[in-house]
Amino acid sequence: MGCGTSKTLQVNADLKEADIVKQVHIEEDDGRELETSSKEFISKDESDENVHLTKLEDDTSNAPIQQQKEFALGDRVHMRGYVGIVKFVGTTELGEGEWIGIEMDQELEQGNDGSYEGIQYFLCGRKRGVFARPTMVFPHPKRDDAGQASRTLSPATVVFIQARLRRVLSGIRRRKLQLRTDIDKAIDAHVRSIPKSETETVAKLSHYLTEPFEGLRNRAFALYRWITVNVYFDVEGYFERAAMRGTDSESVLRERVTSSEGYATLFEELCKASNVPTKKVRGFAKGYGYHMRQKIRHPNHSWNVIRVSGGKWFICDPTWGAGRIGDDMMFHRDPNVHQFMIQPSVAITSRFPVDERWQFLDQPITKEAFERLAVPSGHLCVMNVALCSHKESMYTASESEQIEMTFYATDSTIFKGVLKSYAGGKEKPTARNMVRFEPARQNDKVKLTAQFPSAGEFFLDVLVLVDCKWEHGVRYCIYSTGGVGEVRGGFPSVGRNFYSLGFQLHKPLKNIETMNGKCCVYLKCNKKRFGSLTGKLVKTSSPTSDETNDHRLYCSEKTDNGFLLKVHLPYKGEHRLSIYAKYHDHRKPNEYLCTYFVTAYKGAGQAAGFPAISDRFKTWGLTLVSHQENILAESGRCSIALKTPEEITLSAHLSLRGDDVPGMCSVEKLEEKSMIHVHAPEAGLFTLNVFGRKTADEKSEFLCTYTIKALKGVSDNPGFPQISELFKKWGVELIDPHENILSENGRACLRLKTPGSVLVQATLHQNDNPLPHELCFTEREGAVSKISVHLPAVGLYKLNIFGREGPGAKGQFLCSFSALATCGYEENPGFPRVSDEFRAWGLRLESHRQNITVYDGSVAITLLNPNAIKIFVHLLNENEESQDKGCMRTERIEERDVIYCQLPKKGRYKLDLYGKNSKKAKKKLFLCSYSICY
């Protein structure tokens, strides 16, 4: 604002004021209305474009006292004829007390998205969120016809909501005008309560305003406050849309509209009437319409200087203290205290008096030096921030790709920087955050580091956080002779509530470059209300930004002083990584924390991501030991180790494209951990779900999920044997193999640990048809049972293993293998059939443990016979005809019996062995039988 040709007005707020010059409005102060006209007027400054929230308060002035209602999340409620669901209950920044957040069934003109001033209280559709006091909300009856109730707002309801909204926004505006000290608050209340009759003359007004207060400073502030609250800038005359209003004190007092000359004149006259030393100053100002490099040819602004107790002079500018001119060329009223008692060293950055003595500097500066100075805003002064290293507005970064600055401040978290490129007369913010603030080595300074993406001219805007809102601080113009690159460099940008939520950046402190598509972010946190971190990836290097919603790409871990977030980027290129904090209470929405740009020169691989872990996984005390990430199985097989408490029993299931793939998982319980073995039957992307239970009677609960990328199948016969509960109960253990059988020669061999008196036997099936028992042979050495199998032809077989507790017990199913033979054992397959007595009498097969094939007709079988059991031999041909005993003889050598046979002709024979375990035994018992092929 000013009264010269160069239009100047300090920008201090974003509240809109009425676009008329003859203002008539109502001020509300703690429920008290002070009218300046008999006609009611609601000013446009009660509609703040930055407020995206409907706040509804109940007028309880004439309402009976009601019992406090309680609501829970998910309750169906109605409010003034509108129906919705409760999504939030608690305190907010809207005001004291409890608020109810409701998602309405349909859009509301005054609705929001569940957020207010950057704080997301709940998630809902656009214009469907409403905040209301509990007294205005009522439970919605659960009737069948409730859905047919009218949900259309009546005109009366719309008017009611709009009136409440205006009251709320007015209250917000008043809170923004609150002063910092008790005396200032008392002065402000006194100024706003002045009767109209006391504003008729300068003398009466000055006396009424200053009479209750002592001290030059307090009296001057009362006068300043009244002018900034009650006098409007003559924007119509300023833009020559109408004749200029008068600038003498009487005209200003009467019309309450003037230019900077009128503001300064009235303030001077009021101060003189109250014996406050003051002078009106004319000079050059950097206000509305000013830009860097501009030469201000003529004086364009008026302000005041005052002397308070102690004899020190200060600058006071009631024009800029009243408001600003916006981009819409309208006056936006915003009474503030920034422009009262400004230090001369600060005032000189934006005002240059014609008379050098009103600079109040030890070494006055020239007008050329004034035009080079950067202009810190009043918000910087309010936050006790001052420029330190760079006090001019234009610099050249020629020695490196970045520039460093320092500010006098104690807290680096109240700063934010925005770098904008300037080309073709247009400003454009850089895609990445290129500015970082951090504490300097000196305790009272903050360091700014700015990088430049390329050579060229840039604007650097420094913002400061005031009352949870980023306000303009100071602007620089910097020419860079080099750059880090358009898709490189920069720093993470943090959310408005990042520091207030208790977080700090630990590492990295710059944007991320990764060679393998993997990165980690460490954040410090001193609050216990958060349980983990999560992220959201958007690929920015593609023509259209592709958002990746796969939460398996993130893994959050708790550290000693915060959190570690591991991230996998599935594809190479540039990505934007947004990080959020998750509450322990999952009903609360996630809190946005910060954003990194990540450049991946290679994707994380075909199995990018991490296993999805359930809350039960953690509460049960399980820990991932071997695989912290999803799995790439080049051979089609993998084994996962988990640390599991003793009482937890795991199970696993594999699926492909949503279809279950049975028999491909095996769980091995070890002393302090469990091993999950997995086979992929073919190449593909598989999902492995892991479940657990504490007792056999409980239902299995989901624990975690892996994604497994198999480059090929394990074999032609993948999978693991089916194990029964009895197998585990009896303590039987597989020694080898632990997976299904693939035989290239028609033979297979299994070994099991069989404790105690457990006896095992095996049966072979093909196409659900049982095959001869002779194809399976079982022998035991100590606690180890060995099962040998012959697969007679090419094909797929099922090998069932049974067990019994002693010779006379009934066999019970223990386990089952799948066996695939790529070549059959075609030459007299099978094994000798052995009886229980054979084993009980201590006999053992020594020479031939499978059926016999000979080419010369001679057979010699050796038996280990330590108890000298009498052996009887019978030879039968394929027609079951007994052969001459002369072709057989038995020879005993030490503890062994050797049975010799000379086969009379080619063919198939059956050799049966019988025995007696004592001379008194009357009956010979069957011991074993061989099949012989000649």
Side-chain angles (χ1 to χ4, degrees):
M1 264 177 288
C3 43
T5 56
S6 178
K7 311 190 182 336
T8 63
L9 178 67
Q10 181 72 6
V11 177
N12 285 309
D14 56 3
L15 294 176
K16 291 185 175 294
E17 185 51 75
D19 58 356
I20 60 174
V21 177
K22 192 172 183 179
Q23 293 89 347
V24 185
H25 74 279
I26 296 177
E27 282 292 345
E28 296 182 17
D29 188 16
D30 299 330
R32 181 174 62 252
E33 297 185 356
L34 305 175
E35 289 197 36
T36 58
S37 172
S38 60
K39 182 178 179 180
E40 181 177 342
F41 173 81
I42 299 176
S43 61
K44 287 187 179 181
D45 66 349
E46 294 177 338
S47 175
D48 190 340
E49 293 178 349
N50 291 328
V51 177
H52 306 286
L53 177 88
T54 300
K55 173 184 172 185
L56 300 168
E57 295 180 296
D58 193 22
D59 187 356
T60 60
S61 57
N62 298 315
I65 298 177
Q66 299 182 11
Q67 185 178 358
Q68 180 71 28
K69 297 190 291 291
E70 294 184 359
F71 296 95
L73 299 182
D75 284 355
R76 192 83 172 151
V77 297
H78 70 270
M79 183 199 67
R80 300 292 180 180
Y82 204 71
V83 181
I85 298 175
V86 174
K87 287 297 188 73
F88 172 83
V89 179
T91 59
T92 70
E93 294 294 326
L94 291 129
E96 298 180 356
E98 185 177 72
W99 292 86
I100 308 297
I102 308 170
E103 180 181 9
M104 295 301 183
D105 288 352
Q106 62 187 54
E107 290 187 2
L108 174 64
E109 183 63 29
Q110 300 290 343
N112 56 67
D113 63 351
S115 66
Y116 171 63
E117 290 195 351
I119 301 177
Q120 191 77 43
Y121 292 98
F122 62 93
L123 299 176
C124 69
R126 180 176 175 270
K127 289 190 175 184
R128 291 177 63 182
V130 169
F131 287 89
R133 291 292 192 187
T135 54
M136 297 182 59
V137 183
F138 300 90
H140 193 61
K142 297 181 179 179
R143 299 194 302 263
D144 294 339
D145 57 349
Q148 304 300 323
S150 174
R151 296 169 183 167
T152 304
L153 283 175
S154 66
T157 303
V158 174
V159 173
F160 175 85
I161 293 174
Q162 290 175 341
R164 297 301 184 192
L165 177 62
R166 286 195 294 269
R167 286 188 59 197
V168 169
L169 297 180
S170 179
I172 294 172
R173 173 175 54 79
R174 288 200 307 272
R175 286 195 295 274
K176 292 177 68 175
L177 304 182
Q178 286 179 352
L179 307 175
R180 289 173 289 175
T181 65
D182 292 339
I183 185 63
D184 285 356
K185 294 178 181 179
I187 293 173
D188 185 66
H190 177 68
V191 166
R192 293 175 181 274
S193 64
I194 184 172
K196 184 178 181 181
S197 60
E198 299 294 335
T199 64
E200 295 175 351
T201 65
V202 170
K204 292 178 65 174
L205 176 60
S206 178
H207 179 266
Y208 181 88
L209 291 174
T210 60
E211 192 273 333
F213 307 106
E214 298 181 357
L216 296 177
R217 186 268 176 200
N218 294 338
R219 295 207 298 268
F221 181 72
L223 302 174
Y224 167 88
R225 192 64 174 166
W226 187 91
I227 293 177
T228 57
V229 169
N230 292 280
V231 180
Y232 291 76
F233 184 72
D234 182 14
V235 69
E236 298 295 318
Y238 179 69
F239 287 109
E240 300 178 355
R241 297 193 291 246
M244 293 285 292
R245 297 299 183 100
T247 58
D248 59 284
S249 58
E250 291 78 9
S251 298
V252 175
L253 194 58
R254 181 178 61 256
E255 297 181 357
R256 309 284 176 89
V257 180
T258 188
S259 61
S260 66
E261 181 70 18
Y263 276 97
T265 299
L266 178 58
F267 185 72
E268 182 182 38
E269 293 298 326
L270 290 172
C271 287
K272 288 181 179 179
S274 300
N275 296 319
V276 177
T278 184
K279 292 290 184 181
K280 181 173 65 174
V281 179
R282 186 71 176 165
F284 306 86
K286 302 173 183 176
Y288 177 80
Y290 174 79
H291 57 81
M292 294 180 186
R293 305 187 188 90
Q294 179 180 339
K295 302 295 182 181
I296 306 174
R297 305 291 182 184
H298 307 285
N300 58 2
H301 190 59
S302 296
W303 62 93
N304 301 92
V305 293
I306 61 173
R307 187 177 63 193
V308 297
S309 301
K312 190 174 182 179
W313 287 88
F314 292 90
I315 287 79
C316 182
D317 193 335
T319 308
W320 288 0
R324 68 181 179 93
I325 295 178
D327 294 336
D328 56 0
M329 301 175 67
M330 305 305 300
F331 176 65
H332 298 259
R333 189 180 67 85
D334 180 27
N336 63 81
V337 297
H338 306 159
Q339 306 300 325
F340 180 70
M341 288 184 60
I342 311 171
Q343 294 286 348
S345 59
V346 176
I348 194 62
T349 62
S350 56
R351 305 166 185 82
F352 185 81
V354 174
D355 191 340
E356 181 183 278
R357 59 177 174 163
W358 302 123
Q359 294 185 21
F360 300 119
L361 300 176
D362 295 336
Q363 295 181 351
I365 66 173
T366 64
K367 182 171 176 289
E368 290 72 19
F370 157 76
E371 290 173 342
R372 292 195 300 267
L373 291 176
V375 183
S377 71
H379 299 294
L380 284 185
C381 301
V382 169
M383 301 304 294
N384 296 318
V385 177
L387 308 183
C388 179
S389 61
H390 292 65
K391 297 184 178 181
E392 295 188 357
S393 59
M394 302 183 66
Y395 292 91
T396 299
S398 57
E399 297 181 357
S400 65
E401 299 168 342
Q402 64 182 35
I403 191 171
E404 295 181 353
M405 303 179 179
T406 54
F407 298 83
Y408 291 110
T410 58
D411 186 4
S412 62
T413 65
I414 65 171
F415 291 95
K416 177 182 177 181
V418 178
L419 191 69
K420 300 178 181 179
S421 61
Y422 184 75
K426 295 183 178 181
E427 299 179 14
K428 181 180 179 181
T430 55
R432 297 185 172 203
N433 172 41
M434 308 301 289
V435 186
R436 182 181 72 193
F437 288 90
E438 58 185 327
R441 292 183 178 180
Q442 302 89 341
N443 293 331
D444 60 343
K445 293 182 182 179
V446 170
K447 178 183 175 182
L448 174 151
T449 303
Q451 295 181 342
F452 303 96
S454 62
E457 188 173 86
F458 295 87
F459 285 109
L460 173 58
D461 289 328
V462 177
L463 309 181
V464 62
L465 189 63
V466 182
D467 295 334
C468 299
K469 182 178 180 181
W470 291 111
E471 302 285 2
H472 170 71
V474 65
R475 164 170 274 212
Y476 293 95
C477 179
I478 303 174
Y479 183 80
S480 172
T481 59
V484 297
E486 294 291 343
V487 294
R488 296 188 61 191
F491 309 96
S493 57
V494 300
R496 180 184 302 174
N497 300 322
F498 180 81
Y499 297 106
S500 62
L501 291 171
F503 284 89
Q504 292 182 24
L505 293 173
H506 182 49
K507 63 179 180 180
L509 297 178
K510 296 182 179 181
N511 286 329
I512 303 169
E513 295 184 11
T514 171
M515 303 301 296
N516 59 3
K518 302 177 182 181
C519 64
C520 296
V521 176
Y522 294 84
L523 299 180
K524 292 183 179 180
C525 181
N526 55 19
K527 300 292 179 66
K528 297 182 180 179
R529 54 186 170 179
F530 298 104
S532 61
L533 302 180
T534 186
K536 181 171 69 175
L537 275 175
V538 176
K539 188 176 182 182
T540 58
S541 56
S542 58
T544 59
S545 296
D546 299 327
E547 181 175 337
T548 304
N549 290 321
D550 191 352
H551 292 285
R552 293 173 296 182
L553 297 176
Y554 320 98
C555 177
S556 175
E557 296 181 5
K558 190 77 174 70
T559 62
D560 292 338
N561 58 355
F563 296 95
L564 164 65
L565 182 66
K566 299 178 181 178
V567 183
H568 282 182
L569 295 94
Y571 313 107
K572 69 177 183 179
E574 184 187 34
H575 301 76
R576 184 172 65 248
L577 170 64
S578 299
I579 301 176
Y580 298 81
K582 300 175 70 174
Y583 285 94
H584 286 294
D585 184 357
H586 297 309
R587 296 174 299 177
K588 294 184 178 181
N590 296 340
E591 295 280 3
Y592 167 71
L593 297 179
C594 58
T595 296
Y596 283 84
F597 275 87
V598 185
T599 302
Y601 296 102
K602 180 182 177 182
Q606 302 180 66
F610 304 87
I613 305 296
S614 70
D615 292 337
R616 187 173 287 103
F617 185 95
K618 302 173 184 177
T619 56
W620 281 7
L622 280 78
T623 306
L624 297 177
V625 176
S626 62
H627 291 76
Q628 309 289 336
E629 305 174 356
N630 287 334
I631 302 168
L632 177 64
E634 296 182 356
S635 64
R637 70 179 70 217
C638 64
S639 295
I640 304 168
L642 295 90
K643 183 178 179 181
T644 53
E646 183 65 29
E647 70 276 10
I648 303 298
T649 301
L650 301 182
S651 60
H653 302 276
L654 195 69
S655 62
L656 176 64
R657 294 184 291 273
D659 297 327
D660 190 32
V661 185
M664 296 296 118
C665 303
S666 172
V667 179
E668 180 183 4
K669 182 73 173 180
L670 303 178
E671 186 174 348
E672 293 184 354
K673 63 181 181 180
S674 296
M675 297 293 300
I676 301 176
H677 306 286
V678 183
H679 281 180
E682 60 184 78
L685 194 65
F686 295 84
T687 300
L688 175 66
N689 293 318
V690 180
F691 299 85
R693 58 183 179 179
K694 291 187 175 181
T695 64
D697 298 332
E698 289 185 359
K699 180 182 178 181
S700 294
E701 302 286 353
F702 170 75
L703 296 177
C704 64
T705 295
Y706 278 89
T707 297
I708 301 176
K709 174 63 177 180
L711 301 185
K712 64 178 183 178
V714 170
S715 65
D716 292 333
N717 190 32
F720 300 89
Q722 178 186 353
I723 305 295
S724 70
E725 291 294 331
L726 188 62
F727 186 96
K728 304 173 185 177
K729 180 179 178 181
W730 282 1
V732 181
E733 297 179 14
L734 288 174
I735 299 177
D736 62 75
H738 291 274
E739 54 191 52
N740 288 334
I741 301 167
L742 178 64
S743 174
E744 297 179 351
N745 57 10
R747 298 181 182 182
C749 181
L750 293 85
R751 292 194 305 152
L752 299 90
K753 182 178 179 182
T754 51
S757 60
V758 175
L759 302 177
V760 297
Q761 62 187 39
T763 61
L764 196 64
H765 299 258
Q766 188 176 38
N767 299 325
D768 294 331
N769 297 318
L771 298 181
H773 291 283
E774 289 77 9
L775 295 176
C776 303
F777 178 73
T778 303
E779 56 184 326
R780 178 165 178 165
E781 296 180 4
V784 177
S785 296
K786 180 180 178 182
I787 300 175
S788 300
V789 182
H790 283 175
L791 306 173
V794 174
L796 185 65
Y797 299 84
K798 184 176 182 181
L799 176 63
N800 293 328
I801 300 175
F802 297 85
R804 49 187 175 148
E805 292 183 302
K810 181 181 179 181
Q812 300 185 65
F813 174 77
L814 293 179
C815 63
S816 176
F817 282 82
S818 171
L820 177 65
T822 58
C823 178
Y825 192 87
E826 299 177 353
E827 191 178 79
N828 197 23
F831 301 88
R833 184 162 59 92
V834 177
S835 68
D836 291 339
E837 287 77 11
F838 185 91
R839 297 185 178 93
W841 290 354
L843 296 169
R844 295 291 183 270
L845 298 176
E846 188 172 75
S847 62
H848 292 74
R849 300 192 177 188
Q850 59 189 36
N851 290 335
I852 303 170
T853 299
V854 295
Y855 297 94
D856 59 357
S858 298
V859 179
I861 301 173
T862 303
L863 302 177
L864 186 63
N865 186 4
N867 298 320
I869 303 297
K870 180 65 174 176
I871 303 297
F872 302 92
V873 183
H874 295 270
L875 183 65
L876 304 174
N877 64 13
E878 55 189 349
N879 297 321
E880 296 292 328
E881 298 172 347
S882 296
Q883 302 297 306
D884 185 6
K885 294 184 178 181
C887 63
M888 298 172 286
R889 68 184 179 89
T890 302
E891 179 181 355
R892 182 166 180 81
I893 304 175
E894 295 181 349
E895 293 185 347
R896 295 171 174 80
D897 286 348
V898 181
I899 302 170
Y900 297 97
C901 295
Q902 184 64 47
L903 303 177
K905 62 179 180 179
K906 294 182 179 180
R908 289 187 174 274
Y909 296 85
K910 181 180 177 183
L911 178 65
D912 294 333
L913 303 181
Y914 296 84
K916 292 182 179 181
N917 64 345
S918 68
K919 294 181 178 181
K920 296 181 181 181
K922 296 181 180 181
K923 185 178 181 181
K924 295 182 288 186
L925 298 180
F926 173 78
L927 295 179
C928 72
S929 176
Y930 279 92
S931 172
I932 303 175
C933 180
Y934 173 28

